[in-house]
Amino acid sequence: MDKKTTEFYIRLKEELNSVNKVWPSKYLYKFIVPTDTDKIHAVEKAFDRMGAIIDTRQSKNGKFTSISVDVVMPSADEIIKKYQEVSTIEGIISL
């Protein structure tokens, strides 16, 4: 992981812990992926058996799909681990 990415995750963890004083807590992930069934399923699989509510919407031109994942996460560290896990999906953008 490069320095910029490491610094981003450090800031994210600090922000999550300042906003959420009690864990576990609900968290909303938002991603954009190229519209490809395998990529969409890869994101969905990452949250399998976690009780997540997943909403997908295709862009107007159909090239991209937005994925919102509403899930209860046990800690800021686990939120970051999940971001790192899905970051391996080609073309994914985390919002």
Side-chain angles (χ1 to χ4, degrees):
M1 200 172 355
D2 65 18
K3 183 179 177 185
K4 188 176 178 181
T5 303
T6 302
E7 289 173 354
F8 168 78
Y9 285 126
I10 290 169
R11 283 193 315 273
L12 176 60
K13 181 178 177 180
E14 290 171 356
E15 185 177 323
L16 289 168
N17 283 323
S18 70
V19 171
N20 298 312
K21 302 291 184 192
V22 180
W23 294 98
S25 187
K26 259 184 135 177
Y27 188 75
L28 178 63
Y29 289 92
K30 292 187 176 190
F31 307 105
I32 297 174
V33 295
T35 299
D36 175 322
T37 306
D38 291 338
K39 292 176 183 180
I40 295 167
H41 285 208
V43 174
E44 291 171 342
K45 186 176 179 185
F47 293 93
D48 195 29
R49 297 189 181 133
M50 294 181 68
I53 298 169
I54 301 173
D55 181 44
T56 60
R57 294 193 181 152
Q58 233 179 42
S59 65
K60 187 185 264 187
N61 63 12
K63 290 183 179 182
F64 296 95
T65 298
S66 69
I67 304 170
S68 298
V69 182
D70 200 0
V71 63
V72 175
M73 296 299 288
S75 68
D77 287 328
E78 292 301 315
I79 289 172
I80 291 167
K81 284 181 188 175
K82 196 57 73 174
Y83 272 122
Q84 292 170 335
E85 179 184 338
V86 299
S87 73
T88 62
I89 299 168
E90 185 181 345
I92 194 165
I93 299 170
S94 299
L95 304 174

